[in-house]
Amino acid sequence: PTRSALLTGRNSHSVHMGLFPTTAIGTPGYDGIMPFEKATVAEILRENGYNTYAVGKWHLIPPTDETVAGPFNRWPTGRGFDHYWGFLSGSTDQWHPVVWEDTRKVDLEPNKKHFTTLMADRAIRYITEQKSVAPEKPFFLYFTPGAGHSPHQVAKEWSDKYKGKFDLGWDKAREEILARQIKLGIVPKGTVLPPRNPGVKEWASLSVDEKKLYTRFMENYAGFVSH
């Protein structure tokens, strides 16, 4: 829903993305099939002289269209992008991603680079190629990492940057984070924390092993987003 609204400038229900394409239920606003009458920003910009590139997550086509047989009219190259390099579904492995270039699957193995790095390399390549030929021509780059989304994978040197940073636990951490956000003016003074989510235990009630595991989870997530 967010991606559809961002790309079209419209309410997600008006572009039939009230749910994900993978969870669509076939009712108005929820069938997961974006109408061609609702243009994307890439379609508008390409008509106005831009080169347009999409790199990363798409997740805006019905699962039945995610094959080499298409149809490709709702893929990025069918919705205004000159070139696309990324993954079509909701998530992919960060070390061994399922990647498509335009409308063809790419075999990256044996791969040694993190997917976010691969994305950055590809984006730089697209821009460099264009600027080498038409340096004055404008371009639009839609860059959508999988970072922050599962699976939470990053090189150890990035998660190690946060070693010990979350040993205080999530209850204390969110208090300190909110205090910093208020101090920085990110949220208004007087903002209070909501109750802990029902499925999340009080940190003090966890066993030693649980605390060790969940601390590592938080370090890894923070490193993933930082990378």
Side-chain angles (χ1 to χ4, degrees):
T2 305
R3 277 179 293 280
S4 66
L6 180 67
L7 282 168
T8 63
R10 299 172 185 265
N11 181 284
S12 57
H13 295 83
S14 79
V15 290
H16 299 213
M17 286 286 176
L19 292 171
F20 301 119
T22 43
T23 55
I25 55 175
T27 57
Y30 295 92
D31 61 22
I33 301 174
M34 286 177 59
F36 298 115
E37 296 80 7
K38 311 293 178 79
T40 69
V41 62
E43 289 170 315
I44 299 300
L45 290 176
R46 187 160 71 176
E47 287 181 0
N48 285 274
Y50 280 69
N51 280 129
T52 52
Y53 309 111
V55 178
K57 183 173 180 175
W58 186 243
H59 205 203
L60 287 170
I61 60 173
T64 51
D65 291 3
E66 291 183 25
T67 76
V68 291
F72 304 114
N73 49 2
R74 287 188 168 85
W75 289 45
T77 51
R79 294 308 313 255
F81 290 98
D82 294 328
H83 290 294
Y84 171 63
W85 194 92
F87 60 103
L88 293 169
S89 55
S91 62
T92 194
D93 191 289
Q94 300 297 317
W95 294 110
H96 306 285
V98 176
V99 174
W100 297 82
E101 182 169 15
D102 296 337
T103 59
R104 302 186 70 84
K105 189 173 280 190
V106 179
D107 183 5
L108 298 177
E109 301 303 332
N111 179 55
K112 302 295 183 184
K113 287 187 176 182
H114 191 276
F115 182 64
T116 306
T117 302
L118 292 172
M119 280 184 56
D121 290 345
R122 178 59 54 147
I124 291 168
R125 176 175 157 183
Y126 282 151
I127 296 168
T128 302
E129 287 173 346
Q130 190 234 36
K131 290 300 174 185
S132 68
V133 177
E136 301 303 317
K137 188 176 183 179
F139 69 88
F140 172 64
L141 171 67
Y142 177 63
F143 189 88
T144 53
H149 195 293
S150 62
H152 299 154
Q153 300 164 321
V154 75
K156 191 171 182 293
E157 60 262 28
W158 284 88
S159 55
D160 281 353
K161 292 177 185 288
Y162 291 91
K163 208 74 177 166
K165 300 282 188 183
F166 297 99
D167 287 355
L168 67 169
W170 49 53
D171 290 326
K172 188 66 177 174
R174 69 191 201 122
E175 291 176 5
E176 293 188 358
I177 290 166
L178 176 62
R180 282 199 300 273
Q181 289 176 333
I182 292 173
K183 184 177 180 181
L184 292 167
I186 295 170
V187 297
K189 290 180 180 179
T191 301
V192 297
L193 287 169
R196 192 187 309 105
N197 285 349
V200 179
K201 297 179 182 178
E202 182 182 1
W203 183 261
S205 72
L206 300 179
S207 68
V208 173
D209 284 346
E210 285 177 318
K211 287 179 179 178
K212 184 177 180 181
L213 174 66
Y214 293 139
T215 297
R216 183 62 179 156
F217 278 3
M218 289 186 279
E219 292 169 358
N220 194 66
Y221 183 82
F224 187 29
V225 173
S226 293
H227 175 256

